Amino acid sequence: MDYLIVAAWQPIASCLLRPDMPSMLKLVHLSNEYEWTCKQWKLRQPVIFGDVLDTSARVIKIQTSSTGRTVVVRADVKRENRTIVSIVSSFLFRGNSF
């Protein structure tokens, strides 16, 4: 599972580096949640050396509060054009300078 976040990091980071987002110096990582798209345990195949993965990400939620702006990004990791895992990552941009 740890390798999947490495594979998805570039699309996740591109969602956070948009011009309308605050400075990356104020960024705090909050959480990662993983969800297998195949619900049957015995049908899940682990990611192994040589697998070709395709990743994409999009912002699914932005919430502003008194402590800062929380941004939630969903990344999909695909193998052979089928999504194998979805990763939901939450980040906080500290402060109220938006």
Side-chain angles (χ1 to χ4, degrees), residues 64-77:
T64 303
S65 67
S66 61
T67 58
R69 181 184 291 180
T70 302
V71 179
V72 180
V73 178
R74 179 187 176 110
D76 294 322
V77 180

Side-chain angles (χ1 to χ4, degrees), residues 20-33:
D20 58 333
M21 294 293 178
S23 169
M24 289 292 283
L25 297 174
K26 297 180 177 190
L27 183 68
V28 177
H29 180 256
L30 299 176
S31 66
N32 286 328
E33 297 175 20

Side-chain angles (χ1 to χ4, degrees), residues 28-71:
V28 177
H29 180 256
L30 299 176
S31 66
N32 286 328
E33 297 175 20
Y34 300 88
E35 179 184 355
W36 287 96
T37 56
C38 179
K39 300 299 180 193
Q40 295 180 355
W41 181 257
K42 60 185 170 186
L43 296 178
R44 296 179 188 170
Q45 298 294 320
V47 175
I48 60 171
F49 179 79
D51 281 351
V52 177
L53 302 175
D54 183 34
T55 57
S56 61
R58 63 191 176 282
V59 175
I60 59 172
K61 182 179 177 183
I62 298 176
Q63 183 176 0
T64 303
S65 67
S66 61
T67 58
R69 181 184 291 180
T70 302
V71 179

